[in-house]
């Protein structure tokens, strides 16, 4: 229900960071994959400024598995050899993507307008 709104919001925030060359966000995985030269702390701040919580995945096996599931390498642009040494994939855990403002309100209003429903919150 929330990939369109929350996922897009998180992806846009990450793409706006200096040094980001590609982004993939998954609501079901509660994760984001960022490729480029951006600083991980800047990525976390960008996501948190949008109202979500974020942290860098530091466990190597978890990071590799999430990167695989998020399509690491598929959306990665060609990088000049000199820049390749600086480019990295950073995996973030993103929590709080639940779209209460958009999806939650829409669902609540639909329920309230349904015959026989006396209350919806």
């Amino acid at each position: 229900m929330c990939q369109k709104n929350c996922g897009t919001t998180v992806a846009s925030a990450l793409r706006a960071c200096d040094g980001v060359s590609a982004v993939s966000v998954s609501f079901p995985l509660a994760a984001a994959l960022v490729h480029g030269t951006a600083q991980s702390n800047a990525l976390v701040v960008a996501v948190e400024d949008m109202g979500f919580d974020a942290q860098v995945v530091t466990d190597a096996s978890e990071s590799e598995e999430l990167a695989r599931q998020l399509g690491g390498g598929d959306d990665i642009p060609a990088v000049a050899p000199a820049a390749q040494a600086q480019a990295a994939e950073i995996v973030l855990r993103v929590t709080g993507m639940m779209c209460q403002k958009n999806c939650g309100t829409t669902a609540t209003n639909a329920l309230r307008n349904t015959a026989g429903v006396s209350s919806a919150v």
Side-chain angles (χ1 to χ4, degrees), residues 68-95:
R68 184 190 66 74
Q69 291 180 36
L70 286 160
D74 293 346
D75 186 32
I76 307 305
V79 179
Q84 283 179 342
Q86 297 174 16
E89 284 187 343
I90 299 171
V91 178
L92 301 173
R93 273 284 176 207
V94 180
T95 56

Side-chain angles (χ1 to χ4, degrees), residues 6-30:
C6 294
T8 300
T9 298
V10 170
S12 295
L14 292 169
R15 283 188 189 103
C17 293
D18 289 337
V20 171
S21 58
V23 173
S24 178
V25 176
S26 171
F27 173 74
L29 294 174

Side-chain angles (χ1 to χ4, degrees), residues 100 104-121:
Q100 184 57 38
T105 301
T106 300
T108 300
N109 288 339
L111 288 169
R112 286 180 181 151
N113 292 324
T114 302
V117 173
S118 60
S119 177
V121 291

